[in-house]
Amino acid sequence: MSNLGLLRRKLEREKNARREAERLLEEKSLEVYHANQQLLELAEQNRTIIESAAEGIITYDQEGAVRSANRSALRIFGLSLINGVYLNELFELTTAASYGLLFPEESNSTVRGGSVAEFDGHLPVEIKGLRNGETFQTEVAVGRSAFGQVTLFTAVVRDLTRRKKMEARLRQSQTMESVGQLAAGIAHEINTPIQFVGNNIHFLRGAFDDIGKLLDLYDQLTSAVREGHDPAELVDEIDRQVEVADLSFLRDEFPAAIEQSLEGIDRVAVIVRAMKEFSQSPSEVESAFDVNRAIENAVAMSASVFREVAAIQTSLDESIPTVLCMGSSLNQAFLNVLTNAIEAVSNHGEPGEGRIVISTKLNNVNQAIDVCFQDNGPGIPDEIQHRIFDPFFTTKDVGQGMGQGLSLVYDVVVNKHGGAVSVTSPPLCGTTIVLSIPLKPAELPVRREHADAVGRF
Amino acid sequence: MKGIVFTELIGMVEATLGDEVADRVICGANTATDGAYTSVGTYDYQELISLVEQLACETGQPEAALVQSFGEYLFQRFLAMFPQFFDGVDSSISFLPTIEDRVHVEVRKLYPDAELPTFACKLANDGTLVLEYQSKRPFADLAEGLIHASVRHFQDDVSLVRHNLGDQDGTQARFELTPTLNQPNDTVASACQT
């Protein structure tokens, strides 16, 4: 075999190999081009999705500096440029705790190196946002991503301004609905004392006519004695008039009539005060709130409803302090739980056998006031216990109830005040609902799922 | 099968037996590509078998021994071409488990469609590394050569035992590397069973 032939064959193989390598290079280049095109399209698609999202989406680093934001975020915060802005310019972060909510710890839901993970670790929190120097309510869900040494946070921000207004209107309408439902009973509650106060006043007026005649005779007697006339005839006349007026009876009845009238006026005053306090416009502003008085108001408001079916006993701890909270919302919550208890006992057992005990006490462990509603109704079946706080869940017939009562209770106590609601309802042994109102409301109550509360029953 | 295996085989033949033998092996194998391989290409593994068969004819050595020798040669080439894979590794028992998680990961970055064998490793309580080779292609001998060269490179005191698995056709095998204190490497070599 000649070396030349061998070298020619080797050269030919090398040429073919080079051509193959070039072909592969072109093929790979084309693949890379198409892959790049796909990536660009995907990036554009993702950018469009993020830009068109109704919620604001911002990413920020561990220093709290915003790295990127979509159009909705700019709109929500009223800014034209947001990159480089720090979180404390976007949110009212007055404490380390509130700041920490925007920097969740590493968890199973942390997304690493672009891999997909479940976004289930961090529940949304409500934080006050800042827009044009004013605060507004937002709901923020934060995710954490790790790219090597770099950690980024992604916040999905929802402007709750409109929803808060709607909720306020809904609460007001629910309050008015409650007042409306109780109006006939309340009218009766007012009418009864007004009637006996009126009767007493009629009695006093009639009695005063007789006493007036006596007073006239006493005047005549005084004049006769002063002028030296014989008073015997006048004294006889006075004796007769005393008998006619039944003065001893009047002496006994006058104080009673006056006392009863004052009591009646007090009863009316209590009901009117309860209605006034109950019907005040709902407000997100927290103010000092007397839980015991709110319970008394709720009982006064619903007295006409329960009187025929149940006895309500209150055991209110007079030593509990006032709490800082949204009073009108809690008024509504108390009335809703009480109304539910009344309906439970009215549908169970004979009229008058129903018993409802409402107690308040200071819970030193949880630093809360526990308001306990206990009834001897039929209880809540196991299979629906986990649903009783769901909005629109009701066991009533169509048209009898919207299923908003306990849902509102949960929203007010847990979501708005960071408190807790627990229900105990052994079969056929009545129901006990305890509302725990924190003495100092959580600064930023974390929105929890209904199931969490039910799970603790 | 990736082209680098073909180009390295021909390179080994040229380096050890000369260009003429390499040319005869290529011509005798009569492959579809006629020996025009590029390391970045992908070729039918049957062509490699044809080349080895021709090499066996040329040398008179068993094909299995030739493939094992090629495996040892290939390890040295990898050592020269990809030193980063060996950084911070001081024994075959610590290196071999990185093939799957480190080496193959890098290979797939360049060749996403590469059909690579799997090297499932398990370290027993007595320090024995059990490595299970599995491939669509019958190159357990090549794997053995690579492992053998690894043991030699790191100068490990281990015994290497091979158990053919499955259809006994070279597509599946279990290798056991057991530390043998104060045992010279020659003993390691003699401990290899096929």
Side-chain angles (χ1 to χ4, degrees):
Chain A
M1 183 187 295
S2 71
N3 282 341
L4 187 61
L6 187 151
L7 287 172
R8 276 184 179 153
R9 283 193 296 279
K10 189 170 181 179
L11 179 63
E12 188 60 27
R13 282 196 293 270
E14 289 300 327
K15 279 182 179 175
N16 287 339
R18 196 189 71 187
R19 275 194 286 273
E20 174 67 3
E22 286 166 352
R23 188 190 67 77
L24 286 169
L25 181 63
E26 284 175 4
E27 192 178 283
K28 283 287 169 193
S29 294
L30 203 58
E31 274 178 26
V32 169
Y33 170 78
H34 286 307
N36 272 336
Q37 285 300 108
Q38 281 181 340
L39 281 175
L40 286 173
E41 282 171 22
L42 196 60
E44 181 60 21
Q45 198 179 343
N46 286 338
R47 197 185 67 79
T48 305
I49 290 169
I50 290 170
E51 280 300 311
S52 61
E55 276 81 27
I57 300 171
I58 59 175
T59 61
Y60 48 92
D61 58 27
Q62 284 177 301
E63 305 300 318
V66 173
R67 293 283 191 91
S68 67
N70 68 349
R71 226 176 316 185
S72 290
L74 295 173
R75 176 180 49 78
I76 287 171
F77 293 104
L79 296 171
S80 55
L81 196 66
I82 201 170
N83 285 16
V85 169
Y86 283 85
L87 288 182
N88 55 9
E89 297 170 65
L90 302 179
F91 299 100
E92 193 177 63
L93 305 171
T94 51
T95 64
S98 57
Y99 199 77
L101 289 170
L102 294 174
F103 295 92
E105 294 295 317
E106 197 168 324
S107 69
N108 289 338
S109 65
T110 298
V111 179
R112 292 194 162 278
S115 62
V116 178
E118 289 287 326
F119 191 81
D120 62 352
H122 313 296
L123 293 172
V125 292
E126 288 190 11
I127 303 179
K128 281 195 173 123
L130 298 170
R131 179 170 51 211
N132 303 326
E134 292 186 2
T135 61
F136 65 103
Q137 201 65 37
T138 68
E139 185 181 66
V140 184
V142 184
R144 184 182 172 115
S145 320
F147 298 93
Q149 297 300 310
V150 180
T151 297
L152 283 181
F153 299 90
T154 305
V156 179
V157 185
R158 180 176 292 172
D159 185 349
L160 295 184
T161 307
R162 194 154 175 262
R163 196 173 91 183
K164 289 290 172 187
K165 281 183 186 166
M166 297 292 284
E167 283 179 356
R169 280 186 205 161
L170 179 65
R171 278 201 304 279
Q172 179 67 5
S173 65
Q174 284 173 332
T175 303
M176 290 301 114
E177 185 187 340
S178 300
V179 172
Q181 284 170 349
L182 296 170
I186 291 169
H188 177 72
E189 285 300 299
I190 292 174
N191 192 48
T192 303
I194 288 293
Q195 271 189 343
F196 66 69
V197 168
N199 290 341
N200 284 341
I201 290 173
H202 278 298
F203 161 69
L204 292 173
R205 188 174 67 183
F208 187 75
D209 287 345
D210 294 336
I211 292 171
K213 286 176 186 168
L214 264 176
L215 290 175
D216 289 344
L217 289 172
Y218 284 131
D219 281 345
Q220 290 173 28
L221 179 64
T222 307
S223 299
V225 170
R226 191 175 293 130
E227 291 167 8
H229 299 305
D230 181 7
E233 194 176 332
L234 275 169
V235 171
D236 289 343
E237 182 62 24
I238 286 170
D239 286 343
R240 276 197 298 278
Q241 190 55 40
V242 165
E243 276 189 32
V244 169
D246 199 355
L247 199 56
S248 63
F249 171 76
L250 292 181
R251 278 180 188 279
D252 291 340
E253 289 299 316
F254 253 56
I258 290 169
E259 195 59 37
Q260 195 181 39
S261 297
L262 287 173
E263 186 192 318
I265 289 167
D266 280 347
R267 277 172 59 181
V268 172
V270 167
I271 294 168
V272 170
R273 185 196 71 192
M275 281 189 70
K276 187 182 165 199
E277 290 183 2
F278 184 81
S279 308
Q280 62 184 281
S281 293
S283 166
E284 293 288 325
V285 179
E286 290 162 346
S287 56
F289 182 70
D290 184 340
V291 172
N292 286 346
R293 184 158 159 160
I295 295 297
E296 287 165 355
N297 285 346
V299 173
M301 293 273 292
S302 53
S304 64
V305 182
F306 69 75
R307 182 164 293 123
E308 298 299 320
V309 295
I312 294 185
Q313 181 190 338
T314 55
S315 173
L316 308 178
D317 181 351
E318 295 298 330
S319 67
I320 60 173
T322 55
V323 289
L324 198 61
C325 65
M326 292 169 247
S328 59
S329 300
L330 277 177
N331 276 329
Q332 181 73 53
F334 293 159
L335 187 64
N336 284 9
V337 178
L338 181 56
T339 305
N340 260 40
I342 293 168
E343 285 173 357
V345 297
S346 66
N347 296 329
H348 182 67
E350 294 299 316
E353 285 186 350
R355 294 282 178 277
I356 296 169
V357 178
I358 308 172
S359 62
T360 58
K361 69 172 182 180
L362 186 62
N363 185 332
N364 284 316
V365 177
N366 295 336
Q367 282 295 293
I369 291 174
D370 286 350
V371 185
C372 176
F373 296 80
Q374 197 170 8
D375 68 58
N376 65 344
I380 303 168
D382 280 350
E383 61 270 21
I384 64 166
Q385 281 196 13
H386 66 290
R387 297 182 60 199
I388 60 172
F389 293 113
D390 289 349
F392 303 107
F393 175 76
T394 180
T395 56
K396 295 173 185 170
D397 292 335
V398 175
Q400 297 296 304
M402 293 282 285
Q404 292 293 295
L406 289 180
S407 166
L408 180 136
V409 171
Y410 186 91
D411 188 52
V412 167
V413 176
V414 179
N415 294 336
K416 288 196 165 52
H417 291 91
V421 179
S422 70
V423 178
T424 313
S425 189
L428 300 173
C429 290
T431 299
T432 300
I433 294 184
V434 180
L435 312 184
S436 269
I437 319 294
L439 289 177
K440 188 178 178 189
E443 188 177 343
L444 290 164
V446 175
R447 189 168 287 279
R448 282 173 255 177
E449 296 299 323
H450 295 155
D452 292 349
V454 176
R456 291 184 287 122
F457 293 169
Chain B
M1 180 172 259
K2 292 313 298 176
I4 191 170
V5 182
F6 292 83
T7 57
E8 288 301 325
L9 176 68
I10 292 169
M12 180 189 78
V13 176
E14 284 174 344
T16 56
L17 301 173
D19 290 344
E20 284 185 26
V21 175
D23 185 56
R24 283 202 300 273
V25 166
I26 292 168
C27 293
N30 195 24
T31 58
T33 50
D34 198 21
Y37 300 109
T38 169
S39 63
V40 294
T42 303
Y43 308 95
D44 188 345
Y45 75 91
Q46 289 292 353
E47 291 196 14
L48 192 78
I49 291 174
S50 298
L51 289 169
V52 171
E53 284 170 353
Q54 279 305 309
L55 186 59
C57 291
E58 286 287 336
T59 61
Q61 287 188 49
E63 290 166 19
L66 286 171
V67 173
Q68 280 182 36
S69 297
F70 175 51
E72 294 185 35
Y73 172 84
L74 206 51
F75 180 87
Q76 295 303 325
R77 292 288 296 144
F78 285 162
L79 197 61
M81 287 190 287
F82 313 111
Q84 68 272 23
F85 291 139
F86 301 89
D87 285 348
V89 183
D90 58 2
S91 73
S92 54
I93 286 180
S94 55
F95 168 70
L96 293 172
T98 69
I99 293 174
E100 199 67 41
D101 298 335
R102 199 169 160 204
V103 178
H104 282 180
V105 168
E106 293 301 317
V107 172
R108 283 199 176 89
K109 285 180 188 174
L110 294 174
Y111 310 106
D113 55 345
E115 290 184 350
L116 302 170
T118 59
F119 291 90
C121 293
K122 203 180 286 181
L123 195 61
N125 290 336
D126 63 352
T128 298
L129 178 72
V130 179
L131 187 151
E132 279 201 11
Y133 162 87
Q134 191 163 10
S135 174
K136 289 180 180 174
R137 298 171 285 271
F139 289 113
D141 290 326
L142 188 68
E144 185 177 335
L146 283 164
I147 295 169
H148 206 167
S150 168
V151 170
R152 281 199 171 151
H153 169 73
F154 291 109
Q155 297 181 321
D156 291 333
D157 291 331
V158 295
S159 67
L160 174 62
V161 178
R162 168 178 166 181
H163 300 282
N164 287 321
L165 303 175
D167 294 338
Q168 310 282 310
D169 59 356
T171 58
Q172 205 178 342
R174 183 170 70 243
F175 298 96
E176 294 170 1
L177 285 85
T178 306
T180 54
L181 288 175
N182 302 320
Q183 197 171 349
N185 284 343
D186 290 347
T187 317
V188 174
S190 64
C192 294
Q193 300 171 358
T194 54

